[in-house]
């Protein structure tokens, strides 16, 4: 499988400064992998050998069907199902450990999820190397509008492992600052939203609070969040 599918330029992740960059990175990697598996991967027998064993998760099967290349999905399924037919031939005996392990893998693993995890780990390492070495990247990191909860946790946890002990407090402070940039705003706006239900504020100005719930949830659940619509009202 081609390496470049699993790597995206860091500038593509951090330059847009629109929402959580790690969510963006995950979304781009996922898009590349789903495009690949429903496109160029058809020409790569080694990929088919892997997908014959493990298949995909429900979320990625759904995404594959949105790519409008139904033949590629059918070809992938054809050999995956064929391999499955052979794997579940018990010949009247109890399934062997190998057969049960095969079924467990087929039922619980996903080619796209596994490759995403691998690619993301590598990209996270690059982020830490850049942060450690490049003052320009450190600046760009601190200029991000926000990190979601999941990725704030991940950056702080991995940073402790990847960064020099003396640099980690500075990295943690920079990460906290970016996280709080969104956290403090949505906390205040959710609070303002709640106050609008007070009878004393009846007919008052909702200001920026109409979509406070959605913005708070986007911070808490990241990229699977909610579209923002200014017309939303309590
Ligand atoms: Zn995120
Ligand atoms: Zn998956």
């Amino acid at each position: 499988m081609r390496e470049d599918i699993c790597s995206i330029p860091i500038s593509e992740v951090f330059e847009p400064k629109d929402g959580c960059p790690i969510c963006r990175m995950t979304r781009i990697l996922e898009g590349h992998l789903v495009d690949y598996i429903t496109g160029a991967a058809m020409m790569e027998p080694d990929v088919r050998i892997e997908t014959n064993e493990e298949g995909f998760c429900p979320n990625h099967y759904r995404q594959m069907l949105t790519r409008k290349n139904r033949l590629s999905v059918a070809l992938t399924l054809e050999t995956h199902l064929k391999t499955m037919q052979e794997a579940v031939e018990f010949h009247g005996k109890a399934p062997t450990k190998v057969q049960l392990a095969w079924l467990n893998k087929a039922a619980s693993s996903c080619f796209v999820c596994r490759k995403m995890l691998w690619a993301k780990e590598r990209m996270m390492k690059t982020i830490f190397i850049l942060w450690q070495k490049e003052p320009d990247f450190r600046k760009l990191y601190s200029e991000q509008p926000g990190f979601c909860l999941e990725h704030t946790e991940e950056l702080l946890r991995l940073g402790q492992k990847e960064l020099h002990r003396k640099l980690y407090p500075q990295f943690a402070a920079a990460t906290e600052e970016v996280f709080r940039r969104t956290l403090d705003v949505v906390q205040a706006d959710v609070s303002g939203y709640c106050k609008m239900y007070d009878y004393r504020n009846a007919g008052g100005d909702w200001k920026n609070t109409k979509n406070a719930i959605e913005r708070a949830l986007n911070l808490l659940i990241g990229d699977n969040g909610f579209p923002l619509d200014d017309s939303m009202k309590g």
Side-chain angles (χ1 to χ4, degrees):
M1 154 166 195
R2 277 169 31 220
E3 286 265 312
D4 59 334
I5 291 146
C6 290
S7 130
I8 34 177
I10 290 290
S11 60
E12 218 177 293
V13 175
F14 283 86
E15 291 288 357
K17 298 181 192 169
D18 175 22
C20 171
I22 311 300
C23 280
R24 178 178 309 103
M25 179 176 96
T26 312
R27 189 172 61 232
I28 297 172
L29 282 172
E30 186 174 42
H32 284 187
L33 279 159
V34 175
D35 285 347
Y36 171 72
I37 205 69
T38 54
M42 279 196 290
M43 302 297 170
E44 296 191 37
D46 58 320
V47 173
R48 187 72 67 82
I49 290 167
E50 291 179 51
T51 61
N52 283 347
E53 297 283 322
E54 66 183 338
F56 301 87
C57 69
N59 173 29
H60 290 129
Y61 274 129
R62 279 192 201 100
Q63 289 193 28
M64 283 158 68
L65 276 185
T66 66
R67 292 303 198 267
K68 310 279 181 229
N69 189 351
R70 292 176 64 85
L71 173 62
S72 74
V73 180
L75 288 168
T76 306
L77 290 177
E78 185 192 19
T79 49
H80 180 44
L81 296 172
K82 178 103 186 89
T83 315
M84 197 173 291
Q85 283 177 321
E86 289 157 13
V88 295
E89 272 191 321
F90 304 144
H91 303 292
K93 296 183 201 147
T96 63
K97 274 187 183 167
V98 173
Q99 286 170 320
L100 287 174
W102 191 96
L103 277 169
N104 180 271
K105 187 177 176 186
S108 60
S109 65
C110 165
F111 178 86
V112 173
C113 284
R114 182 168 59 79
K115 292 285 180 191
M116 269 175 70
L117 203 67
W118 175 81
K120 196 175 158 208
E121 265 175 30
R122 284 186 353 155
M123 291 211 56
M124 290 300 260
K125 277 194 197 310
T126 309
I127 289 170
F128 292 117
I129 291 168
L130 283 174
W131 193 90
Q132 201 148 255
K133 288 189 179 159
E134 307 267 349
D136 282 353
F137 180 72
R138 240 179 259 196
K139 184 168 169 285
L140 185 61
Y141 184 93
S142 290
E143 286 167 359
Q144 295 305 304
F147 296 130
C148 71
L149 173 65
E150 178 190 340
H151 294 131
T152 301
E153 187 278 332
E154 196 172 12
L155 285 161
L156 289 171
R157 176 165 42 80
L158 297 178
Q160 193 168 32
K161 213 169 65 181
E162 300 289 335
L163 291 166
H164 192 281
R165 197 166 40 86
K166 284 189 179 147
L167 278 175
Y168 182 64
Q170 195 189 333
F171 174 80
T175 306
E176 181 200 345
E177 195 187 326
V178 173
F179 183 46
R180 291 192 77 106
R181 196 163 283 153
T182 309
L183 174 64
D184 292 353
V185 170
V186 296
Q187 197 287 328
D189 287 348
V190 167
S191 180
Y193 183 94
C194 296
K195 288 194 182 80
M196 290 306 289
Y197 282 82
D198 187 321
Y199 70 94
R200 283 164 295 191
N201 292 323
D205 184 1
W206 286 78
K207 290 186 194 134
N208 208 16
T209 64
K210 283 179 193 170
N211 59 17
I213 294 175
E214 283 74 14
R215 282 186 288 119
L217 292 177
N218 287 352
L219 173 88
L220 296 174
I221 66 176
D223 216 21
N224 296 316
F226 295 87
L228 298 178
D229 177 355
D230 280 345
S231 66
M232 283 174 196
K233 202 175 170 177

